[in-house]
Amino acid sequence: MPDYQVAETGYFIKDDEIEAALAAGARADAVKIREILAKARELHGLSLEDVAALTGITDPELRQELFAAARYVKEHIYGSRIVLFAPLYISNRCCNECLYCAFRASNRELVRRELNHQQIVREVEKMLDLGHKRVLMVAGESYSGKNIEYVLDSIAAIYEAKSRGSSIRRVNVNIAPLDVEQLREVKAAKIGTLQVFQETYHRGVYRAVHKGGPKRNYDYRVTVMDRAMKAGIDDVGIGPLFGLADWRFEVLATMQHIRHLEEHFGVGPHTISMPRIEPACGSDLAANPPNAVSDDDFRKIVAIFRCAVPYTGLILSTRETPAMRHELIELGISQISGGSRTNPGGYAEGEGVDEQEAQFHLGDERSLEDVIRDLIRMKHIPSFCTGCYRMGRTGQDFMDLAKPGAIQMHCDPNGLSTFMEYLMDYAHEDTREAGLKLVEEKLAAMPEKRRAVAQRLVDKVREGQRDVYV
Ligand code: SAM
Ligand code: SF4
């Protein structure tokens, strides 16, 4: 493993460069914008300056052209697959004071809960019964004096759980930033993606909304992915929390973060998440975000990222409403959560989210099956694929396959085989019927070689084999 130099400060987030790019971008005329959109369709991504120009689009015609370019990129790289996952909140205890979050230490309205090993196993059994295969483990930053051991034990508990012959195949984690040694331990626990959101890249706003606790340290947080790379974790997920600082600033700063990772480690983030602040128990700031992003601007943000970083997965959570999720999937989202609970113990407890224990209010409270039915109606293939991670195709290896388009030979067949598993093992009759029809349609539309591989996997699942992938 290369001995990387790790940044200790966020020097790579350069406000003056962002301001200059935004000012230049605002002067871009229609000819320039169309040039950039033509470049986006070449699928090689866009520069910071290009992105700045796209953020300045106000003309309705150009906005439609931006959306058309984003749809083109989405279709060419991701086809109609949508990866599904579910968050698993293991603890809402936290020592930080993030003004937007219900879990912040001083919030007396929240009922605190930290799941132990057995409770996590039970929670995961329930998730498995719904058909989930990919989990995003989420925790506040406080582990009853057990520190990192609690995180490691929780990951082990998730992998240990079994139900109806199945187990979770990939555990992504969204936890507080760690040091290199701790990250090595987390890597050894076999995580998929390490997610840490910067929340805001704007130092002034960051300081104003993080009132206490270790999270006040902007530099330690913004450099966590450098430490992850040093620790051998090359599958990382970043993202701003939209609503804190101006969205244009956040989009450009995210581009600077990506550029930094690419320049220093040869690979950018595997995913970008794009949460918008949702109302949260006991949080005035979450009820009235200082820079709330409108639906119109949010569509633009998704489309711009899709054009700018075509091979980076874009993640949307159940924070958004079903109607908004439909539109954003068309514009570039490649992963969504479904049937989520944001309160620890929420799956085992069944119906509804307990707002007194939850992190934020859900925009989409539908069950996983309802989400899947909807995707089928939209002719999307719900995918639970974990093939790349389990074959070690991460970081540079993933990009080497993704950029020339060779990854489709894996994603399409694996997406269909995991969807087939869902239909055979978990779906109700009407969902199964509609799903099987869609599988046939998708197979028929595939190029010959890919179809042969996909058909083979689908047949295996039909005959009773599980967990087959290429
Ligand atoms: N405690 C860890 C941390 O802050 O990095 C990880 C878990 S934290 C619960 C996960 C993410 O939830 C945060 O990074 C933040 O972006 C998001 N979040 C917090 N409050 C939110 C709200 N009111 N609406 C939407 N997302 C929120
Ligand atoms: Fe704690 Fe994370 Fe919520 Fe901040 S965002 S209060 S660190 S759980």
Side-chain angles (χ1 to χ4, degrees):
M1 196 190 306
D3 189 19
Y4 292 123
Q5 276 298 312
V6 168
E8 286 178 6
T9 69
Y11 69 87
F12 46 86
I13 304 298
K14 299 177 178 130
D15 295 15
D16 48 351
E17 186 190 29
I18 294 176
E19 300 309 332
L22 285 174
R27 293 192 295 272
D29 59 12
V31 175
K32 178 71 190 162
I33 296 288
R34 290 193 171 113
E35 247 177 61
I36 297 171
L37 295 178
K39 187 171 154 194
R41 285 172 185 257
E42 290 169 15
L43 311 178
H44 301 308
L46 299 175
S47 69
L48 187 92
E49 290 71 25
D50 294 337
V51 169
L54 297 185
T55 65
I57 294 178
T58 50
D59 177 68
E61 205 176 310
L62 286 177
R63 194 178 23 232
Q64 287 313 318
E65 289 178 36
L66 164 67
F67 291 172
R71 285 194 197 99
Y72 176 91
V73 175
K74 168 86 198 289
E75 174 61 31
H76 271 73
I77 295 178
Y78 300 87
S80 58
R81 293 179 314 275
I82 288 290
V83 170
L84 285 170
F85 71 96
L88 171 62
Y89 281 73
I90 55 167
S91 167
N92 62 13
R93 291 165 46 95
C94 194
C95 58
N96 289 309
E97 286 294 342
C98 311
L99 291 185
Y100 45 81
C101 182
F103 294 178
R104 69 187 185 286
S106 63
N107 185 9
R108 302 272 167 261
E109 289 180 40
L110 193 82
V111 180
R112 301 286 164 176
R113 197 148 177 212
E114 180 182 275
L115 302 184
N116 64 27
H117 192 98
Q118 268 323 308
Q119 288 168 323
I120 292 173
V121 170
R122 267 204 297 283
E123 190 79 339
V124 176
E125 287 166 356
K126 291 287 173 203
M127 298 173 87
L128 287 166
D129 289 344
L130 298 172
H132 286 294
K133 303 282 188 258
R134 302 169 63 109
V135 157
L136 171 66
M137 189 185 96
V138 186
E141 187 170 1
S142 172
Y143 317 118
S144 337
K146 281 175 280 180
N147 207 357
I148 184 74
E149 286 72 39
Y150 176 65
V151 171
L152 300 175
D153 183 60
S154 301
I155 298 169
I158 298 174
Y159 280 126
E160 184 186 308
K162 285 204 172 24
S163 188
R164 296 165 63 175
S166 190
S167 49
I168 293 297
R169 298 173 184 166
R170 175 178 174 126
V171 181
N172 298 334
V173 297
N174 186 321
I175 49 172
L178 300 168
D179 65 29
V180 175
E181 268 321 302
Q182 293 168 327
L183 286 165
R184 286 205 174 104
E185 293 186 65
V186 170
K187 157 111 183 143
K190 301 205 181 318
I191 59 158
T193 308
L194 171 77
Q195 281 188 0
V196 179
F197 305 155
Q198 185 57 26
E199 323 296 13
T200 173
Y201 286 95
H202 190 285
R203 283 178 185 270
V205 177
Y206 189 93
R207 198 130 188 102
V209 299
H210 297 110
K211 291 290 188 198
K215 192 163 168 180
R216 259 174 95 66
N217 189 337
Y218 175 104
D219 288 305
Y220 189 66
R221 192 167 179 94
V222 83
T223 52
V224 61
M225 296 316 176
D226 286 54
R227 296 192 295 281
M229 297 284 176
K230 191 172 176 82
I233 300 174
D234 60 3
D235 187 332
V236 302
I238 62 173
L241 175 60
F242 285 107
L244 296 175
D246 181 82
W247 67 265
R248 295 166 192 83
F249 180 91
E250 302 292 17
V251 169
L252 291 196
T254 306
M255 292 298 294
Q256 289 180 330
H257 195 176
I258 294 170
R259 185 177 66 189
H260 166 74
L261 294 174
E262 283 176 345
E263 281 174 5
H264 288 261
F265 309 105
V267 61
H270 185 56
T271 55
I272 300 175
S273 296
M274 27 198 79
R276 275 200 287 188
I277 293 187
E278 282 296 322
C281 146
S283 165
D284 292 340
L285 188 140
N288 295 295
N291 275 290
V293 174
S294 68
D295 286 355
D296 256 7
D297 284 339
F298 201 48
R299 291 182 187 98
K300 242 165 89 174
I301 293 172
V302 172
I304 290 172
F305 273 131
R306 186 65 300 146
C307 291
V309 281
Y311 299 97
T312 304
L314 297 182
I315 303 183
L316 198 68
S317 74
T318 22
R319 293 170 178 90
E320 298 296 333
T321 61
M324 199 60 192
R325 289 184 2 142
H326 284 178
E327 282 189 58
L328 298 174
I329 285 172
E330 302 285 351
L331 289 176
I333 294 297
S334 54
Q335 294 191 24
I336 59 171
S337 50
S340 302
R341 297 283 176 268
T342 60
N343 52 321
Y347 294 97
E349 277 158 17
E351 289 300 296
V353 171
D354 184 341
E355 301 270 345
Q356 294 292 142
E357 294 179 7
Q359 195 202 1
F360 50 78
H361 175 78
L362 292 180
D364 183 350
E365 297 197 16
R366 295 172 303 164
S367 68
L368 177 64
E369 179 147 11
D370 282 348
V371 171
I372 286 183
R373 247 186 236 130
D374 210 24
L375 288 173
I376 295 173
R377 254 195 307 276
M378 290 165 72
K379 305 272 181 213
H380 286 296
I381 288 289
S383 167
F384 295 88
C385 178
T386 53
C388 280
Y389 155 71
R390 291 164 72 218
M391 300 282 278
R393 292 190 297 257
T394 60
Q396 189 68 51
D397 293 344
F398 174 81
M399 286 301 167
D400 288 349
L401 274 174
K403 292 197 171 166
I407 198 76
Q408 309 292 358
M409 265 316 262
H410 301 277
C411 299
D412 270 354
N414 292 347
L416 273 190
S417 73
T418 55
F419 179 40
M420 205 48 199
E421 283 183 338
Y422 179 83
L423 294 174
M424 307 296 286
D425 297 343
Y426 305 100
H428 287 98
E429 194 65 41
D430 55 336
T431 312
R432 185 177 309 136
E433 207 176 295
L436 290 175
K437 221 168 117 211
L438 184 62
V439 170
E440 290 308 321
E441 278 173 34
K442 294 292 174 185
L443 278 169
M446 272 182 201
E448 206 181 318
K449 236 169 118 184
R450 207 183 302 166
R451 179 168 58 235
V453 178
Q455 184 76 59
R456 188 163 49 80
L457 293 190
V458 165
D459 289 345
K460 281 186 180 176
V461 176
R462 215 189 280 272
E463 288 156 14
Q465 284 192 55
R466 294 292 175 265
D467 204 11
V468 288
Y469 52 91
V470 285

